[in-house]
Amino acid sequence: MKGTVEITYSPVKKYEKTDMYWLNPYKSDCYYTKLIVLVCLLAASCFAGYAQNIAGIERKQLFDDDWKFFLGDTAAASSKDFNDERWRHLDLPHDWSIEGKINPKNPTGNAGGYFPAGIGWYRKSFQVPTEWKNRNVAVYFEGVYMNAEVFINGRSLGVYPYGYSSFSYDLSAYLEFGKENVIAVRVNNAQQVNCRWYSGSGIYRHVWMMVTGRVHVAHWGVTITTPRITSKEATVQVKTLVKNEMATTQSIVLKTQLWDKKSKSAGSGQVKIELPANSEKEITQSIRVSGPLLWSPETPDLYLAQVQVIKDRQVVDDTKTAFGIRSIQFTVEKGFQLNGKTVKINGGCAHHDNGCLGAAAFDRAEERKVELLKAAGFNAVRTSHNPPCESLLNACDKLGLLVLDEVFDGWKAGKNRYDYAVNFDRWWERDLGGMVLRDQNHPSIIMWSIGNEIVERGDPAAVETAKMLVNAVKKTDTTRPVTSAVVDNGKEWAAFDKLMAAHDVAGYNYHLYSAPADHERVPSRIIVQTESYPRDAFANWKLQQNNSYIIGDFVWTAIDYLGESGIGRWYYSGEVPGNHWEHDFFPWHGAYCGDIDLIGCRKPVSHYRSLLYNNTEKLYMAVREPQQEPLEIKETWWSVWPTWESWTWPGFEGKTIQVEVYSKYAKVRLYLNNKLIGEKETTPEQEYKATFAVTWLPGVLKAVAVENDKEIESTMLQTSGDGAKIKLTADRKEIVANGQDLSYVTIEITDKDGVLQHGAANRLHVNMEGPGVIAGIDNADLKDYDPYAGNTRKAWHGRALVVIRSTHGVGDIKLTVTSPGLPEAALTIKTLNP
């Protein structure tokens, strides 16, 4: 049985001066008033403290610690009594593929980065307290790649195919209370190829134990919208789905309290309801917030909605949901508007891996990814081509990054033998509905995407599928538009008009140049470029600036990623030609088309793109890699010419090298060793670029911005000497001892004066002492197939990265890096109590 109740709350009464005595009894002259009020406040305080305890049981408990893992298949592992003493101990999240050797014989092939896959088992023993006996207990997996079969005490609960969806199972009927219980998970990623990029293998996202009373808020049962916003007041609508899983009618109070970022009350309301036996009811509460703080990328202010179910004066369920107050609107005339202001989307596509960590979705790794994207000038990310982890969305909310949330890479027709098309008909509704239900409260999400480059996009049936998927989204969320990414398949572009009309916003992959003509043909169409070539940054930016109906661009890609090997590669004449889908290009095992490389360093194209969209950086200089004659550098579709922040080019003495300067100023001047090389304009007509041909000599290269013939800003590159030192820089020198936290340590080879040695390729060895482990090691070279799980790596262009993961011990982690011929370098990282 299901019902709906709607309640509206008026603003809280403003007290007159005399009313304040009841809020502060010390201001009353009456002794009895003071006494009565203080007693009442004390009683209320005691009740609140009691109610908050809820018998000491947390509703959502992290279930990541102390698992056992076995790589291989053994059917007996599902049994509760199976002996797993020899299995490996580990904490989640975990990706076994990244731990393996990159090998051209691995079945994931070019698409999966030549990493191993296969079948693996996870088991965890845990005690179930007797006080859980009359409660609902469920296990919640944020993501398992893939075909995860879950067992509790030997009983199979089902198989979940899609590796990017979150899912849960009710354990209540199968638990042995007061005793040891065993949960086992068989993960089958053996059917290859199933993904067009690196997927990872295993329980790579968090696992939670969910414990509630029999009367409780449903999982993902709180929906928050802000239907009315002014500068003075906002209406926050909170819909709560409450479930009664008892055999009798229950009388409850549903209380909702809103808290601002300073933990001060922003509004509240409560309602009494009757829940018939074995029923659920959706309660709608409208709460007014005065002087709302609006969420945006510049001011990512968040609120918290605390929803409590109270029965017999006891809190029997307590949930907390973060949300933002913001408005979005999409029109042809004004484009995308956030809080009434037109915003042009400078977005980047991003796959889900975390470089040397593989698919393992540590909270800190996801937060750092968002920090990198923000620092690179992006204001949006597209989660291509699957539902992201919750940690990424939380970081986007917290730090202020807009999100295009995408669910599928394909529908009914497959791109690979074992991809999502195998499961689409049976699972699309659950996977799509689950994503929208799970993610809808994130203010960072501004659009949903239902697919990418659908194979059957030219068929009439695709239009019907699109309508079906859009309608499914709208059943849950009508506040955001729906798009999907369409790419040319050799047909006339206008042939996709009917498919695009099924969406709220038309997604173009690599086809924005046709937007002006399309606008003449279909004036009502709102357009976003869902993928673009990095080299087309200026052309795409200019189209956005000149056309209101083009709301933005998402470059492919924001950051390098594993798999889809060789996309973005450049090569020298004599090497195998072609793009990534035409051949296997081993040892290439990833994509080099990102604005940011795999260790987090920005490439020159990143600075150029940010300069176009932002005013935070207005001058930048880099050097085009000189060709090693008679060889020539060849580019591919997603590549740009290899360009570096370096003036160290030994062997090119007396030869001409091309220097690029990006500038938002009218002109730039270039100096070499204080000698003027030349002056050039850098206006929009020059696409804010100037290229100088310079005869290479060691020394200092300096670019200077010029306005009204005055030199007002400069940047320089200096030739380095021989590598003489190892420099270590940690992004965080204090981390939490929870087995989850990370510190990213950049390793650089410098000369004696601290200048990066661009050509350094030293073999580095990392040693660790203390309560931490090496989570991964990398150098951003996607042709280097040394293991990512290890303690040694070569530097590439003078740099490498090691990621340190805390254990559960408190103390000092001492990191030491050595390399033959160089003095060792050491760094200390402290681990603190959670």
Side-chain angles (χ1 to χ4, degrees):
M1 180 178 176
K2 184 174 181 178
T4 301
V5 176
E6 185 162 356
I7 306 293
T8 301
Y9 298 100
S10 298
V12 176
K13 174 179 178 275
K14 292 184 178 179
Y15 289 92
E16 300 296 334
K17 187 174 181 179
T18 53
D19 292 324
M20 292 300 295
Y21 294 141
W22 289 99
L23 299 179
N24 187 350
Y26 298 104
K27 291 189 176 182
S28 173
D29 294 328
C30 177
Y31 169 80
Y32 294 105
T33 299
K34 290 181 180 180
L35 181 62
I36 293 169
V37 173
L38 284 173
V39 170
C40 291
L41 289 173
L42 180 62
S45 175
C46 292
F47 168 71
Y50 171 77
Q52 289 294 324
N53 285 331
I54 319 174
I57 300 174
E58 291 184 46
R59 187 181 205 272
K60 187 177 182 181
Q61 305 174 23
L62 191 63
F63 206 57
D64 282 354
D65 295 346
D66 198 24
W67 288 73
K68 293 185 177 181
F69 172 70
F70 173 75
L71 183 56
D73 197 10
T74 172
S78 64
S79 170
K80 179 182 178 181
D81 299 325
F82 178 80
N83 187 347
D84 57 16
E85 288 185 2
R86 299 194 177 197
W87 285 20
R88 174 184 168 190
H89 287 258
L90 54 79
D91 292 344
L92 304 177
H94 175 242
D95 171 12
W96 79 70
S97 287
I98 200 67
E99 299 173 342
K101 292 182 179 179
I102 302 168
N103 191 303
K105 295 181 180 179
N106 282 330
T108 56
N110 182 75
Y114 307 99
F115 286 85
I119 297 173
W121 278 85
Y122 296 84
R123 286 170 55 89
K124 178 179 170 74
S125 299
F126 62 103
Q127 191 82 15
V128 179
T130 53
E131 54 264 34
W132 290 12
K133 195 165 188 178
N134 293 316
R135 298 183 178 272
N136 281 12
V137 182
V139 62
Y140 172 52
F141 294 87
E142 290 192 16
V144 183
Y145 204 90
M146 59 180 296
N147 297 309
E149 184 170 10
V150 180
F151 300 85
I152 181 68
N153 295 330
R155 184 185 182 100
S156 176
L157 300 176
V159 178
Y160 207 101
Y162 196 29
Y164 296 110
S165 280
S166 302
F167 61 94
S168 63
Y169 291 109
D170 189 347
L171 306 179
S172 307
Y174 315 112
L175 295 174
E176 298 178 11
F177 298 95
K179 298 180 180 179
E180 201 78 7
N181 291 256
V182 175
I183 192 165
V185 185
R186 180 180 185 266
V187 184
N188 182 0
N189 194 19
Q191 294 179 315
Q192 294 292 334
V193 175
N194 58 53
C195 194
R196 294 192 302 124
W197 56 92
Y198 178 85
S199 66
S201 302
I203 309 179
Y204 68 103
R205 294 178 181 170
H206 292 310
V207 182
W208 302 86
M209 192 64 71
M210 311 292 288
V211 185
T212 68
R214 294 291 173 85
V215 181
H216 61 96
V217 176
H219 185 48
W220 300 333
V222 176
T223 301
I224 303 173
T225 56
T226 52
R228 180 179 171 273
I229 301 172
T230 69
S231 59
K232 294 182 178 180
E233 187 178 85
T235 299
V236 176
Q237 188 179 84
V238 183
K239 292 184 178 180
T240 305
L241 183 63
V242 186
K243 304 183 78 170
N244 175 18
E245 300 189 48
M246 300 183 71
T248 57
T249 297
Q250 300 294 309
S251 299
I252 65 165
V253 172
L254 186 72
K255 179 181 178 181
T256 300
Q257 177 74 56
L258 306 184
W259 306 97
D260 67 14
K261 64 179 182 179
K262 295 182 179 179
S263 299
K264 293 183 178 179
S265 176
S268 65
Q270 66 180 40
V271 59
K272 294 180 179 179
I273 58 174
E274 296 284 320
L275 282 174
N278 299 311
S279 69
E280 60 183 32
K281 187 174 290 188
E282 185 178 78
I283 312 300
T284 300
Q285 297 171 291
S286 293
I287 303 173
R288 298 181 187 179
V289 175
S290 298
L293 301 173
L294 302 188
W295 187 95
S296 72
E298 297 75 27
T299 58
D301 293 316
L302 294 172
Y303 288 81
L304 192 71
Q306 182 177 19
V307 180
Q308 295 178 324
V309 178
I310 302 171
K311 182 179 181 296
D312 298 331
R313 296 189 177 184
Q314 294 188 33
V315 176
V316 296
D317 197 15
D318 191 335
T319 70
K320 298 178 180 67
T321 304
F323 70 98
I325 297 176
R326 59 102 177 101
S327 67
I328 57 174
Q329 190 173 11
F330 296 76
T331 63
V332 169
E333 295 77 18
K334 295 184 178 181
F336 164 58
Q337 291 182 290
L338 178 65
N339 300 325
K341 178 184 176 182
T342 296
V343 176
K344 291 295 185 179
I345 294 171
N346 173 29
C349 301
H351 278 314
H352 75 299
D353 74 79
N354 284 306
C356 62
L357 304 179
F362 295 95
D363 290 355
R364 173 57 194 157
E366 302 299 329
E367 182 179 63
R368 176 179 179 265
K369 184 185 294 182
V370 176
E371 289 174 351
L372 292 174
L373 296 178
K374 289 275 289 186
F378 289 110
N379 65 6
V381 64
R382 174 182 174 224
T383 68
S384 43
H385 305 292
N386 52 263
C389 69
E390 294 181 44
S391 300
L392 178 80
L393 296 177
N394 291 337
C396 290
D397 291 343
K398 172 185 173 184
L399 300 175
L401 192 68
L402 305 172
V403 178
L404 171 53
D405 202 353
E406 191 159 82
V407 64
F408 302 131
D409 186 39
W411 297 342
K412 297 186 177 183
K415 299 171 183 176
N416 287 309
R417 183 176 179 183
Y418 298 107
D419 67 12
Y420 192 76
V422 175
N423 297 304
F424 182 85
D425 286 335
R426 290 190 304 114
W427 286 88
W428 73 264
E429 192 167 12
R430 192 179 312 186
D431 289 323
L432 175 60
M435 182 190 82
V436 177
L437 199 61
R438 185 197 73 172
D439 296 349
Q440 62 182 328
N441 294 320
H442 290 280
S444 56
I445 297 173
I446 57 169
M447 279 187 285
W448 306 108
S449 173
I450 54 176
N452 172 68
E453 297 184 356
I454 303 305
V455 173
E456 64 268 35
R457 58 190 173 274
D459 299 334
V463 178
E464 298 308 311
T465 302
K467 290 178 180 178
M468 176 181 74
L469 298 176
V470 170
N471 289 337
V473 172
K474 302 290 187 181
K475 284 182 181 178
T476 301
D477 180 30
T478 59
T479 68
R480 298 175 178 90
V482 180
T483 188
S484 71
V486 179
V487 71
D488 190 1
N489 64 351
K491 291 193 173 188
E492 286 290 328
W493 185 246
F496 301 117
D497 282 355
K498 289 184 178 180
L499 178 60
M500 291 182 177
H503 302 79
D504 303 305
V505 174
Y508 285 29
N509 277 8
Y510 312 103
H511 224 279
L512 196 63
Y513 60 85
S514 68
D518 290 356
H519 180 64
E520 293 292 325
R521 189 178 69 255
V522 190
S524 61
R525 181 177 296 173
I526 302 168
I527 298 169
V528 62
Q529 186 161 230
T530 33
E531 290 181 24
S532 66
Y533 297 114
R535 68 183 65 180
D536 292 339
F538 181 82
N540 293 324
W541 171 81
K542 188 175 181 180
L543 280 167
Q544 289 182 59
Q545 302 309 305
N546 295 338
N547 299 285
S548 62
Y549 54 87
I550 301 175
I551 64 174
D553 173 53
F554 289 88
V555 68
W556 192 269
T557 57
I559 191 165
D560 286 349
Y561 57 94
L562 300 173
E564 216 162 10
S565 307
I567 184 173
R569 70 188 273 268
W570 75 93
Y571 61 96
Y572 278 89
S573 49
E575 297 181 17
V576 179
N579 284 291
H580 66 287
W581 66 84
E582 297 172 298
H583 303 283
D584 282 350
F585 292 109
F586 188 85
W588 282 96
H589 57 276
Y592 195 73
C593 52
D595 277 23
I596 304 166
D597 71 20
L598 215 58
I599 66 172
C601 294
R602 295 175 65 187
K603 303 175 189 176
V605 68
S606 168
H607 294 273
Y608 180 59
R609 189 183 319 281
S610 181
L611 179 144
L612 292 174
Y613 286 90
N614 306 290
N615 285 316
T616 50
E617 53 183 326
K618 302 175 71 174
L619 182 69
Y620 179 82
M621 176 174 57
V623 179
R624 289 167 65 92
E625 182 171 314
Q627 301 191 94
Q628 301 173 19
E629 297 178 351
L631 301 179
E632 294 180 346
I633 291 176
K634 306 287 186 179
E635 291 189 62
T636 54
W637 286 7
W638 282 268
S639 72
V640 295
W641 193 281
T643 308
W644 311 96
E645 286 185 45
S646 175
W647 192 238
T648 304
W649 299 100
F652 285 88
E653 291 82 355
K655 295 181 180 180
T656 299
I657 292 181
Q658 303 296 317
V659 177
E660 291 186 349
V661 181
Y662 314 144
S663 166
K664 272 285 187 74
Y665 298 98
K667 296 178 181 179
V668 293
R669 293 171 185 161
L670 188 69
Y671 295 87
L672 178 57
N673 297 329
N674 293 321
K675 180 181 178 181
L676 180 65
I677 300 298
E679 177 181 288
K680 292 192 176 184
E681 292 184 344
T682 50
T683 68
E685 285 69 31
Q686 289 81 38
E687 300 185 0
Y688 301 115
K689 283 184 180 181
T691 303
F692 296 86
V694 184
T695 301
W696 188 75
L697 290 172
V700 176
L701 188 71
K702 182 168 73 170
V704 181
V706 179
E707 286 281 8
N708 299 321
D709 209 35
K710 291 184 178 180
E711 296 186 350
I712 56 176
E713 182 182 348
S714 66
T715 183
M716 72 176 194
L717 298 172
Q718 182 175 342
T719 305
S720 74
D722 294 336
K725 296 190 293 186
I726 300 173
K727 179 183 178 182
L728 304 181
T729 306
D731 70 335
R732 298 157 80 228
K733 289 190 174 181
E734 292 183 350
I735 58 177
V736 179
N738 58 4
Q740 298 274 342
D741 209 0
L742 305 174
S743 177
Y744 286 76
V745 181
T746 301
I747 307 170
E748 294 179 311
I749 307 298
T750 74
D751 68 6
K752 61 182 178 59
D753 297 318
V755 179
L756 179 71
Q757 218 297 321
H758 176 73
N762 303 54
R763 170 63 66 178
L764 303 165
H765 300 278
V766 180
N767 183 58
M768 285 257 315
E769 297 176 8
V773 296
I774 297 174
I777 190 167
D778 193 6
N779 60 9
D781 182 3
L782 288 163
K783 292 189 286 184
D784 183 348
Y785 51 90
D786 273 359
Y788 286 95
N791 67 345
T792 181
R793 197 85 177 183
K794 285 184 177 180
W796 189 58
H797 293 290
R799 288 191 178 97
L801 177 78
V802 61
V803 185
I804 306 305
R805 178 182 182 180
S806 68
T807 60
H808 296 275
V810 174
D812 289 348
I813 300 171
K814 185 179 180 182
L815 174 71
T816 306
V817 180
T818 60
S819 183
L822 296 176
E824 74 173 32
L827 184 73
T828 298
I829 298 167
K830 292 185 177 293
T831 61
L832 308 176
N833 279 315

